[in-house]
Amino acid sequence: NAGVIQTPRHKVTGKGQEATLWCEPISGHSAVFWYRQTIVQGLEFLTYFRNQAPIDDSGMPKERFSAQMPNQSHSTLKIQSTQPQDSAVYLCASSSRGAETLYFGSGTRLTVL
Amino acid sequence: QQQVRQSPQSLTVWEGETAILNCSYENSAFDYFPWYQQFPGEGPALLIAIRSVSDKKEDGGFTIFFNKREKNLSLHIKDSQPGDSATYFCAASGPSGSWQLIFGSGTQLTVMP
């Protein structure tokens, strides 16, 4: 069991560029969660999928952010026209038991210059 | 408005002492309270959790004390070791069956040898 795999580990983009972050959940887990972590805001919930269907995206900024889960083996978080305030560590987690146990990946550190 | 609050923001204890981390919450519907431990460069990992029907949960040197009436809980780390130095997040979920986890802002614990 390799755990939740997130790629890339680090990404640097220029202001206005697009960033796509990848997550491979633990095999057999039915839910995938995305969180954003910053020093100021802490761990912010963004969105989650269950059985590949989007269930709750209440934490997603309405513009520029989108998430997909095209198959059970990966999910993507896309940020269009990145801004410096998007700089953060983006964490993906998967679960087979709802909120009881989330298994987090190591995160993608996004830096927008 | 933060639904889950943690204090202190940072805590330093000496090796062998008991570290006490505090957490409070707003939503009476929360019924599941996990604590996650995060080391630099890694994602958070589940450490210990308690349900609102219990007032105490122990696992090794980690103990959660829960006060439903006061809507607060604390994590006690007995005989702290330098390897326990990490950031600890209190989280909450509920009502039962909810798949969303709300995190506090974290307590950075440093254990001095």
PDB file of all heavy atoms in Angstrom, chain A residues 4 6 9 35 37 43 89-93 102-109, chain B residues 36-47 86-89 103:
ATOM      1  N   VAL A   4      -1.583   7.556  -0.297  1.00  0.00           N
ATOM      2  CA  VAL A   4      -2.084   8.537  -1.255  1.00  0.00           C
ATOM      3  C   VAL A   4      -0.890   9.209  -1.922  1.00  0.00           C
ATOM      4  O   VAL A   4       0.026   9.685  -1.243  1.00  0.00           O
ATOM      5  CB  VAL A   4      -2.960   9.587  -0.556  1.00  0.00           C
ATOM      6  CG1 VAL A   4      -3.382  10.677  -1.547  1.00  0.00           C
ATOM      7  CG2 VAL A   4      -4.185   8.921   0.071  1.00  0.00           C
ATOM      8  N   GLN A   6       0.575  12.139  -4.367  1.00  0.00           N
ATOM      9  CA  GLN A   6       0.301  13.446  -4.960  1.00  0.00           C
ATOM     10  C   GLN A   6       1.500  13.872  -5.801  1.00  0.00           C
ATOM     11  O   GLN A   6       2.641  13.760  -5.385  1.00  0.00           O
ATOM     12  CB  GLN A   6       0.043  14.496  -3.881  1.00  0.00           C
ATOM     13  CG  GLN A   6      -1.271  14.313  -3.170  1.00  0.00           C
ATOM     14  CD  GLN A   6      -1.614  15.503  -2.311  1.00  0.00           C
ATOM     15  OE1 GLN A   6      -1.601  15.434  -1.082  1.00  0.00           O
ATOM     16  NE2 GLN A   6      -1.928  16.622  -2.953  1.00  0.00           N
ATOM     17  N   ARG A   9       5.370  17.237  -6.228  1.00  0.00           N
ATOM     18  CA  ARG A   9       5.568  17.648  -4.827  1.00  0.00           C
ATOM     19  C   ARG A   9       5.687  19.159  -4.729  1.00  0.00           C
ATOM     20  O   ARG A   9       5.227  19.762  -3.745  1.00  0.00           O
ATOM     21  CB  ARG A   9       6.830  17.010  -4.243  1.00  0.00           C
ATOM     22  CG  ARG A   9       6.698  15.539  -3.918  1.00  0.00           C
ATOM     23  CD  ARG A   9       5.626  15.254  -2.870  1.00  0.00           C
ATOM     24  NE  ARG A   9       5.753  16.036  -1.651  1.00  0.00           N
ATOM     25  CZ  ARG A   9       6.464  15.675  -0.596  1.00  0.00           C
ATOM     26  NH1 ARG A   9       7.137  14.558  -0.602  1.00  0.00           N
ATOM     27  NH2 ARG A   9       6.508  16.448   0.485  1.00  0.00           N
ATOM     28  N   TYR A  35      -7.862  19.484   0.362  1.00  0.00           N
ATOM     29  CA  TYR A  35      -7.715  20.537   1.363  1.00  0.00           C
ATOM     30  C   TYR A  35      -6.583  21.465   0.915  1.00  0.00           C
ATOM     31  O   TYR A  35      -5.673  21.070   0.198  1.00  0.00           O
ATOM     32  CB  TYR A  35      -7.353  19.965   2.738  1.00  0.00           C
ATOM     33  CG  TYR A  35      -8.502  19.329   3.479  1.00  0.00           C
ATOM     34  CD1 TYR A  35      -8.895  18.017   3.229  1.00  0.00           C
ATOM     35  CD2 TYR A  35      -9.196  20.043   4.458  1.00  0.00           C
ATOM     36  CE1 TYR A  35      -9.943  17.440   3.924  1.00  0.00           C
ATOM     37  CE2 TYR A  35     -10.250  19.476   5.165  1.00  0.00           C
ATOM     38  CZ  TYR A  35     -10.614  18.170   4.887  1.00  0.00           C
ATOM     39  OH  TYR A  35     -11.657  17.604   5.583  1.00  0.00           O
ATOM     40  N   GLN A  37      -3.702  24.087   2.625  1.00  0.00           N
ATOM     41  CA  GLN A  37      -3.072  24.416   3.899  1.00  0.00           C
ATOM     42  C   GLN A  37      -2.166  25.625   3.759  1.00  0.00           C
ATOM     43  O   GLN A  37      -1.260  25.656   2.919  1.00  0.00           O
ATOM     44  CB  GLN A  37      -2.266  23.227   4.440  1.00  0.00           C
ATOM     45  CG  GLN A  37      -1.679  23.463   5.813  1.00  0.00           C
ATOM     46  CD  GLN A  37      -1.044  22.231   6.423  1.00  0.00           C
ATOM     47  OE1 GLN A  37      -0.596  21.329   5.729  1.00  0.00           O
ATOM     48  NE2 GLN A  37      -1.030  22.172   7.751  1.00  0.00           N
ATOM     49  N   LEU A  43      -5.873  24.427   7.714  1.00  0.00           N
ATOM     50  CA  LEU A  43      -6.365  23.405   6.784  1.00  0.00           C
ATOM     51  C   LEU A  43      -7.794  23.759   6.359  1.00  0.00           C
ATOM     52  O   LEU A  43      -8.727  23.664   7.142  1.00  0.00           O
ATOM     53  CB  LEU A  43      -6.378  22.038   7.462  1.00  0.00           C
ATOM     54  CG  LEU A  43      -5.099  21.227   7.419  1.00  0.00           C
ATOM     55  CD1 LEU A  43      -5.123  20.139   8.473  1.00  0.00           C
ATOM     56  CD2 LEU A  43      -4.908  20.616   6.042  1.00  0.00           C
ATOM     57  N   VAL A  89       0.021  24.745   0.322  1.00  0.00           N
ATOM     58  CA  VAL A  89       0.183  23.305   0.149  1.00  0.00           C
ATOM     59  C   VAL A  89      -1.206  22.724  -0.070  1.00  0.00           C
ATOM     60  O   VAL A  89      -2.117  22.939   0.743  1.00  0.00           O
ATOM     61  CB  VAL A  89       0.847  22.653   1.380  1.00  0.00           C
ATOM     62  CG1 VAL A  89       0.888  21.140   1.208  1.00  0.00           C
ATOM     63  CG2 VAL A  89       2.261  23.198   1.573  1.00  0.00           C
ATOM     64  N   TYR A  90      -1.372  22.034  -1.159  1.00  0.00           N
ATOM     65  CA  TYR A  90      -2.659  21.410  -1.479  1.00  0.00           C
ATOM     66  C   TYR A  90      -2.563  19.932  -1.126  1.00  0.00           C
ATOM     67  O   TYR A  90      -1.707  19.205  -1.627  1.00  0.00           O
ATOM     68  CB  TYR A  90      -2.995  21.629  -2.952  1.00  0.00           C
ATOM     69  CG  TYR A  90      -3.328  23.078  -3.227  1.00  0.00           C
ATOM     70  CD1 TYR A  90      -2.325  24.015  -3.454  1.00  0.00           C
ATOM     71  CD2 TYR A  90      -4.653  23.526  -3.199  1.00  0.00           C
ATOM     72  CE1 TYR A  90      -2.627  25.362  -3.649  1.00  0.00           C
ATOM     73  CE2 TYR A  90      -4.965  24.864  -3.405  1.00  0.00           C
ATOM     74  CZ  TYR A  90      -3.944  25.773  -3.626  1.00  0.00           C
ATOM     75  OH  TYR A  90      -4.252  27.100  -3.812  1.00  0.00           O
ATOM     76  N   LEU A  91      -3.457  19.515  -0.237  1.00  0.00           N
ATOM     77  CA  LEU A  91      -3.445  18.156   0.279  1.00  0.00           C
ATOM     78  C   LEU A  91      -4.632  17.371  -0.252  1.00  0.00           C
ATOM     79  O   LEU A  91      -5.760  17.869  -0.275  1.00  0.00           O
ATOM     80  CB  LEU A  91      -3.501  18.173   1.806  1.00  0.00           C
ATOM     81  CG  LEU A  91      -2.252  18.681   2.524  1.00  0.00           C
ATOM     82  CD1 LEU A  91      -2.582  19.090   3.947  1.00  0.00           C
ATOM     83  CD2 LEU A  91      -1.162  17.624   2.530  1.00  0.00           C
ATOM     84  N   CYS A  92      -4.358  16.167  -0.647  1.00  0.00           N
ATOM     85  CA  CYS A  92      -5.396  15.236  -1.067  1.00  0.00           C
ATOM     86  C   CYS A  92      -5.471  14.126  -0.022  1.00  0.00           C
ATOM     87  O   CYS A  92      -4.448  13.726   0.560  1.00  0.00           O
ATOM     88  CB  CYS A  92      -5.038  14.662  -2.434  1.00  0.00           C
ATOM     89  SG  CYS A  92      -6.160  13.375  -3.024  1.00  0.00           S
ATOM     90  N   ALA A  93      -6.665  13.660   0.254  1.00  0.00           N
ATOM     91  CA  ALA A  93      -6.844  12.559   1.199  1.00  0.00           C
ATOM     92  C   ALA A  93      -7.875  11.597   0.630  1.00  0.00           C
ATOM     93  O   ALA A  93      -8.750  11.998  -0.146  1.00  0.00           O
ATOM     94  CB  ALA A  93      -7.300  13.076   2.563  1.00  0.00           C
ATOM     95  N   LEU A 102      -9.151   9.743   7.487  1.00  0.00           N
ATOM     96  CA  LEU A 102      -8.651  10.282   6.235  1.00  0.00           C
ATOM     97  C   LEU A 102      -7.161   9.967   6.139  1.00  0.00           C
ATOM     98  O   LEU A 102      -6.407  10.183   7.097  1.00  0.00           O
ATOM     99  CB  LEU A 102      -8.857  11.807   6.174  1.00  0.00           C
ATOM    100  CG  LEU A 102     -10.121  12.312   5.496  1.00  0.00           C
ATOM    101  CD1 LEU A 102     -11.354  11.774   6.179  1.00  0.00           C
ATOM    102  CD2 LEU A 102     -10.130  13.828   5.452  1.00  0.00           C
ATOM    103  N   TYR A 103      -6.768   9.455   4.985  1.00  0.00           N
ATOM    104  CA  TYR A 103      -5.363   9.201   4.723  1.00  0.00           C
ATOM    105  C   TYR A 103      -4.884  10.292   3.769  1.00  0.00           C
ATOM    106  O   TYR A 103      -5.373  10.386   2.644  1.00  0.00           O
ATOM    107  CB  TYR A 103      -5.169   7.820   4.105  1.00  0.00           C
ATOM    108  CG  TYR A 103      -5.506   6.685   5.036  1.00  0.00           C
ATOM    109  CD1 TYR A 103      -6.809   6.217   5.145  1.00  0.00           C
ATOM    110  CD2 TYR A 103      -4.522   6.080   5.824  1.00  0.00           C
ATOM    111  CE1 TYR A 103      -7.134   5.191   6.001  1.00  0.00           C
ATOM    112  CE2 TYR A 103      -4.839   5.038   6.684  1.00  0.00           C
ATOM    113  CZ  TYR A 103      -6.143   4.606   6.774  1.00  0.00           C
ATOM    114  OH  TYR A 103      -6.461   3.586   7.629  1.00  0.00           O
ATOM    115  N   PHE A 104      -3.940  11.093   4.257  1.00  0.00           N
ATOM    116  CA  PHE A 104      -3.462  12.222   3.470  1.00  0.00           C
ATOM    117  C   PHE A 104      -2.206  11.858   2.686  1.00  0.00           C
ATOM    118  O   PHE A 104      -1.355  11.080   3.147  1.00  0.00           O
ATOM    119  CB  PHE A 104      -3.118  13.402   4.379  1.00  0.00           C
ATOM    120  CG  PHE A 104      -4.308  14.169   4.875  1.00  0.00           C
ATOM    121  CD1 PHE A 104      -4.973  13.794   6.027  1.00  0.00           C
ATOM    122  CD2 PHE A 104      -4.769  15.285   4.174  1.00  0.00           C
ATOM    123  CE1 PHE A 104      -6.078  14.508   6.490  1.00  0.00           C
ATOM    124  CE2 PHE A 104      -5.863  16.010   4.621  1.00  0.00           C
ATOM    125  CZ  PHE A 104      -6.515  15.615   5.776  1.00  0.00           C
ATOM    126  N   GLY A 105      -2.081  12.490   1.518  1.00  0.00           N
ATOM    127  CA  GLY A 105      -0.827  12.463   0.797  1.00  0.00           C
ATOM    128  C   GLY A 105       0.109  13.498   1.399  1.00  0.00           C
ATOM    129  O   GLY A 105      -0.240  14.209   2.353  1.00  0.00           O
ATOM    130  N   SER A 106       1.310  13.589   0.833  1.00  0.00           N
ATOM    131  CA  SER A 106       2.307  14.531   1.346  1.00  0.00           C
ATOM    132  C   SER A 106       2.089  15.949   0.846  1.00  0.00           C
ATOM    133  O   SER A 106       2.744  16.871   1.305  1.00  0.00           O
ATOM    134  CB  SER A 106       3.707  14.059   0.973  1.00  0.00           C
ATOM    135  OG  SER A 106       3.990  12.808   1.580  1.00  0.00           O
ATOM    136  N   GLY A 107       1.172  16.101  -0.107  1.00  0.00           N
ATOM    137  CA  GLY A 107       0.826  17.439  -0.558  1.00  0.00           C
ATOM    138  C   GLY A 107       1.624  17.914  -1.758  1.00  0.00           C
ATOM    139  O   GLY A 107       2.696  17.383  -2.075  1.00  0.00           O
ATOM    140  N   THR A 108       1.082  18.907  -2.421  1.00  0.00           N
ATOM    141  CA  THR A 108       1.785  19.632  -3.486  1.00  0.00           C
ATOM    142  C   THR A 108       1.950  21.065  -3.008  1.00  0.00           C
ATOM    143  O   THR A 108       0.953  21.729  -2.707  1.00  0.00           O
ATOM    144  CB  THR A 108       1.004  19.626  -4.808  1.00  0.00           C
ATOM    145  OG1 THR A 108       0.938  18.293  -5.314  1.00  0.00           O
ATOM    146  CG2 THR A 108       1.677  20.536  -5.834  1.00  0.00           C
ATOM    147  N   ARG A 109       3.192  21.512  -2.936  1.00  0.00           N
ATOM    148  CA  ARG A 109       3.438  22.908  -2.563  1.00  0.00           C
ATOM    149  C   ARG A 109       3.411  23.757  -3.817  1.00  0.00           C
ATOM    150  O   ARG A 109       4.264  23.612  -4.689  1.00  0.00           O
ATOM    151  CB  ARG A 109       4.773  23.053  -1.839  1.00  0.00           C
ATOM    152  CG  ARG A 109       5.067  24.501  -1.431  1.00  0.00           C
ATOM    153  CD  ARG A 109       6.352  24.618  -0.629  1.00  0.00           C
ATOM    154  NE  ARG A 109       6.246  23.940   0.659  1.00  0.00           N
ATOM    155  CZ  ARG A 109       5.687  24.453   1.747  1.00  0.00           C
ATOM    156  NH1 ARG A 109       5.193  25.686   1.709  1.00  0.00           N
ATOM    157  NH2 ARG A 109       5.660  23.772   2.870  1.00  0.00           N
TER     158      ARG A 109
ATOM    159  N   TYR B  36      -5.146  14.819  14.526  1.00  0.00           N
ATOM    160  CA  TYR B  36      -4.172  14.452  13.510  1.00  0.00           C
ATOM    161  C   TYR B  36      -2.812  15.047  13.882  1.00  0.00           C
ATOM    162  O   TYR B  36      -2.727  16.151  14.429  1.00  0.00           O
ATOM    163  CB  TYR B  36      -4.612  14.978  12.131  1.00  0.00           C
ATOM    164  CG  TYR B  36      -5.639  14.099  11.453  1.00  0.00           C
ATOM    165  CD1 TYR B  36      -6.972  14.101  11.880  1.00  0.00           C
ATOM    166  CD2 TYR B  36      -5.283  13.260  10.396  1.00  0.00           C
ATOM    167  CE1 TYR B  36      -7.908  13.281  11.261  1.00  0.00           C
ATOM    168  CE2 TYR B  36      -6.216  12.449   9.776  1.00  0.00           C
ATOM    169  CZ  TYR B  36      -7.526  12.460  10.220  1.00  0.00           C
ATOM    170  OH  TYR B  36      -8.449  11.653   9.603  1.00  0.00           O
ATOM    171  N   GLN B  37      -1.775  14.313  13.537  1.00  0.00           N
ATOM    172  CA  GLN B  37      -0.395  14.721  13.800  1.00  0.00           C
ATOM    173  C   GLN B  37       0.284  14.965  12.459  1.00  0.00           C
ATOM    174  O   GLN B  37       0.172  14.145  11.542  1.00  0.00           O
ATOM    175  CB  GLN B  37       0.322  13.603  14.569  1.00  0.00           C
ATOM    176  CG  GLN B  37       1.760  13.861  14.916  1.00  0.00           C
ATOM    177  CD  GLN B  37       2.406  12.597  15.497  1.00  0.00           C
ATOM    178  OE1 GLN B  37       2.371  11.525  14.892  1.00  0.00           O
ATOM    179  NE2 GLN B  37       2.991  12.706  16.690  1.00  0.00           N
ATOM    180  N   GLN B  38       0.988  16.085  12.358  1.00  0.00           N
ATOM    181  CA  GLN B  38       1.659  16.387  11.097  1.00  0.00           C
ATOM    182  C   GLN B  38       3.109  16.775  11.341  1.00  0.00           C
ATOM    183  O   GLN B  38       3.400  17.686  12.121  1.00  0.00           O
ATOM    184  CB  GLN B  38       0.946  17.532  10.354  1.00  0.00           C
ATOM    185  CG  GLN B  38       1.542  17.813   8.985  1.00  0.00           C
ATOM    186  CD  GLN B  38       0.804  18.914   8.233  1.00  0.00           C
ATOM    187  OE1 GLN B  38       0.251  19.831   8.838  1.00  0.00           O
ATOM    188  NE2 GLN B  38       0.781  18.835   6.911  1.00  0.00           N
ATOM    189  N   PHE B  39       4.007  16.076  10.629  1.00  0.00           N
ATOM    190  CA  PHE B  39       5.431  16.406  10.640  1.00  0.00           C
ATOM    191  C   PHE B  39       5.740  17.237   9.397  1.00  0.00           C
ATOM    192  O   PHE B  39       5.046  17.138   8.383  1.00  0.00           O
ATOM    193  CB  PHE B  39       6.278  15.139  10.658  1.00  0.00           C
ATOM    194  CG  PHE B  39       6.123  14.326  11.917  1.00  0.00           C
ATOM    195  CD1 PHE B  39       5.383  13.150  11.916  1.00  0.00           C
ATOM    196  CD2 PHE B  39       6.705  14.737  13.108  1.00  0.00           C
ATOM    197  CE1 PHE B  39       5.227  12.406  13.074  1.00  0.00           C
ATOM    198  CE2 PHE B  39       6.556  14.006  14.268  1.00  0.00           C
ATOM    199  CZ  PHE B  39       5.807  12.838  14.252  1.00  0.00           C
ATOM    200  N   PRO B  40       6.777  18.067   9.467  1.00  0.00           N
ATOM    201  CA  PRO B  40       7.126  18.913   8.311  1.00  0.00           C
ATOM    202  C   PRO B  40       7.316  18.089   7.039  1.00  0.00           C
ATOM    203  O   PRO B  40       7.949  17.037   7.051  1.00  0.00           O
ATOM    204  CB  PRO B  40       8.439  19.573   8.762  1.00  0.00           C
ATOM    205  CG  PRO B  40       8.353  19.600  10.247  1.00  0.00           C
ATOM    206  CD  PRO B  40       7.655  18.326  10.625  1.00  0.00           C
ATOM    207  N   GLY B  41       6.733  18.573   5.958  1.00  0.00           N
ATOM    208  CA  GLY B  41       6.889  17.909   4.670  1.00  0.00           C
ATOM    209  C   GLY B  41       5.982  16.714   4.465  1.00  0.00           C
ATOM    210  O   GLY B  41       6.061  16.050   3.419  1.00  0.00           O
ATOM    211  N   GLU B  42       5.132  16.427   5.445  1.00  0.00           N
ATOM    212  CA  GLU B  42       4.221  15.296   5.323  1.00  0.00           C
ATOM    213  C   GLU B  42       2.779  15.769   5.466  1.00  0.00           C
ATOM    214  O   GLU B  42       2.512  16.866   5.958  1.00  0.00           O
ATOM    215  CB  GLU B  42       4.518  14.251   6.398  1.00  0.00           C
ATOM    216  CG  GLU B  42       5.914  13.665   6.320  1.00  0.00           C
ATOM    217  CD  GLU B  42       6.162  12.629   7.405  1.00  0.00           C
ATOM    218  OE1 GLU B  42       5.208  12.258   8.118  1.00  0.00           O
ATOM    219  OE2 GLU B  42       7.326  12.208   7.543  1.00  0.00           O
ATOM    220  N   GLY B  43       1.853  14.906   5.063  1.00  0.00           N
ATOM    221  CA  GLY B  43       0.458  15.211   5.316  1.00  0.00           C
ATOM    222  C   GLY B  43       0.079  14.806   6.731  1.00  0.00           C
ATOM    223  O   GLY B  43       0.785  14.045   7.384  1.00  0.00           O
ATOM    224  N   PRO B  44      -1.037  15.326   7.237  1.00  0.00           N
ATOM    225  CA  PRO B  44      -1.487  14.932   8.575  1.00  0.00           C
ATOM    226  C   PRO B  44      -1.815  13.439   8.605  1.00  0.00           C
ATOM    227  O   PRO B  44      -2.247  12.870   7.603  1.00  0.00           O
ATOM    228  CB  PRO B  44      -2.756  15.772   8.771  1.00  0.00           C
ATOM    229  CG  PRO B  44      -2.670  16.878   7.770  1.00  0.00           C
ATOM    230  CD  PRO B  44      -1.922  16.312   6.613  1.00  0.00           C
ATOM    231  N   ALA B  45      -1.641  12.849   9.788  1.00  0.00           N
ATOM    232  CA  ALA B  45      -1.961  11.430   9.972  1.00  0.00           C
ATOM    233  C   ALA B  45      -2.796  11.278  11.239  1.00  0.00           C
ATOM    234  O   ALA B  45      -2.523  11.930  12.250  1.00  0.00           O
ATOM    235  CB  ALA B  45      -0.682  10.600  10.072  1.00  0.00           C
ATOM    236  N   LEU B  46      -3.812  10.440  11.155  1.00  0.00           N
ATOM    237  CA  LEU B  46      -4.695  10.231  12.302  1.00  0.00           C
ATOM    238  C   LEU B  46      -3.907   9.677  13.481  1.00  0.00           C
ATOM    239  O   LEU B  46      -3.177   8.696  13.360  1.00  0.00           O
ATOM    240  CB  LEU B  46      -5.821   9.267  11.924  1.00  0.00           C
ATOM    241  CG  LEU B  46      -6.806   8.916  13.037  1.00  0.00           C
ATOM    242  CD1 LEU B  46      -7.580  10.167  13.471  1.00  0.00           C
ATOM    243  CD2 LEU B  46      -7.760   7.831  12.577  1.00  0.00           C
ATOM    244  N   LEU B  47      -4.103  10.315  14.640  1.00  0.00           N
ATOM    245  CA  LEU B  47      -3.388   9.917  15.854  1.00  0.00           C
ATOM    246  C   LEU B  47      -4.316   9.162  16.810  1.00  0.00           C
ATOM    247  O   LEU B  47      -4.032   8.065  17.260  1.00  0.00           O
ATOM    248  CB  LEU B  47      -2.840  11.171  16.543  1.00  0.00           C
ATOM    249  CG  LEU B  47      -2.002  10.993  17.791  1.00  0.00           C
ATOM    250  CD1 LEU B  47      -0.710  10.273  17.473  1.00  0.00           C
ATOM    251  CD2 LEU B  47      -1.706  12.364  18.419  1.00  0.00           C
ATOM    252  N   ALA B  86       5.737  18.117  16.651  1.00  0.00           N
ATOM    253  CA  ALA B  86       4.940  18.109  15.421  1.00  0.00           C
ATOM    254  C   ALA B  86       3.819  19.134  15.596  1.00  0.00           C
ATOM    255  O   ALA B  86       3.687  19.754  16.646  1.00  0.00           O
ATOM    256  CB  ALA B  86       4.336  16.725  15.181  1.00  0.00           C
ATOM    257  N   THR B  87       3.018  19.280  14.559  1.00  0.00           N
ATOM    258  CA  THR B  87       1.818  20.100  14.665  1.00  0.00           C
ATOM    259  C   THR B  87       0.624  19.163  14.840  1.00  0.00           C
ATOM    260  O   THR B  87       0.506  18.165  14.133  1.00  0.00           O
ATOM    261  CB  THR B  87       1.623  20.974  13.417  1.00  0.00           C
ATOM    262  OG1 THR B  87       2.753  21.835  13.273  1.00  0.00           O
ATOM    263  CG2 THR B  87       0.363  21.826  13.549  1.00  0.00           C
ATOM    264  N   TYR B  88      -0.218  19.494  15.799  1.00  0.00           N
ATOM    265  CA  TYR B  88      -1.371  18.661  16.130  1.00  0.00           C
ATOM    266  C   TYR B  88      -2.653  19.409  15.771  1.00  0.00           C
ATOM    267  O   TYR B  88      -2.858  20.551  16.202  1.00  0.00           O
ATOM    268  CB  TYR B  88      -1.356  18.281  17.602  1.00  0.00           C
ATOM    269  CG  TYR B  88      -0.214  17.360  17.940  1.00  0.00           C
ATOM    270  CD1 TYR B  88       1.071  17.858  18.144  1.00  0.00           C
ATOM    271  CD2 TYR B  88      -0.400  15.981  18.010  1.00  0.00           C
ATOM    272  CE1 TYR B  88       2.138  17.020  18.427  1.00  0.00           C
ATOM    273  CE2 TYR B  88       0.654  15.126  18.297  1.00  0.00           C
ATOM    274  CZ  TYR B  88       1.923  15.660  18.502  1.00  0.00           C
ATOM    275  OH  TYR B  88       2.974  14.823  18.768  1.00  0.00           O
ATOM    276  N   PHE B  89      -3.488  18.745  15.012  1.00  0.00           N
ATOM    277  CA  PHE B  89      -4.757  19.338  14.594  1.00  0.00           C
ATOM    278  C   PHE B  89      -5.919  18.608  15.250  1.00  0.00           C
ATOM    279  O   PHE B  89      -6.005  17.375  15.194  1.00  0.00           O
ATOM    280  CB  PHE B  89      -4.925  19.257  13.075  1.00  0.00           C
ATOM    281  CG  PHE B  89      -3.966  20.109  12.299  1.00  0.00           C
ATOM    282  CD1 PHE B  89      -2.778  19.585  11.810  1.00  0.00           C
ATOM    283  CD2 PHE B  89      -4.254  21.444  12.057  1.00  0.00           C
ATOM    284  CE1 PHE B  89      -1.890  20.371  11.097  1.00  0.00           C
ATOM    285  CE2 PHE B  89      -3.371  22.244  11.332  1.00  0.00           C
ATOM    286  CZ  PHE B  89      -2.192  21.707  10.864  1.00  0.00           C
ATOM    287  N   PHE B 103     -11.225  21.180  10.412  1.00  0.00           N
ATOM    288  CA  PHE B 103      -9.996  21.205  11.201  1.00  0.00           C
ATOM    289  C   PHE B 103      -9.827  22.507  11.956  1.00  0.00           C
ATOM    290  O   PHE B 103     -10.239  23.580  11.485  1.00  0.00           O
ATOM    291  CB  PHE B 103      -8.779  21.017  10.288  1.00  0.00           C
ATOM    292  CG  PHE B 103      -8.572  19.612   9.809  1.00  0.00           C
ATOM    293  CD1 PHE B 103      -9.203  19.160   8.667  1.00  0.00           C
ATOM    294  CD2 PHE B 103      -7.741  18.738  10.499  1.00  0.00           C
ATOM    295  CE1 PHE B 103      -9.028  17.858   8.224  1.00  0.00           C
ATOM    296  CE2 PHE B 103      -7.539  17.438  10.064  1.00  0.00           C
ATOM    297  CZ  PHE B 103      -8.192  16.998   8.924  1.00  0.00           C
TER     298      PHE B 103
END
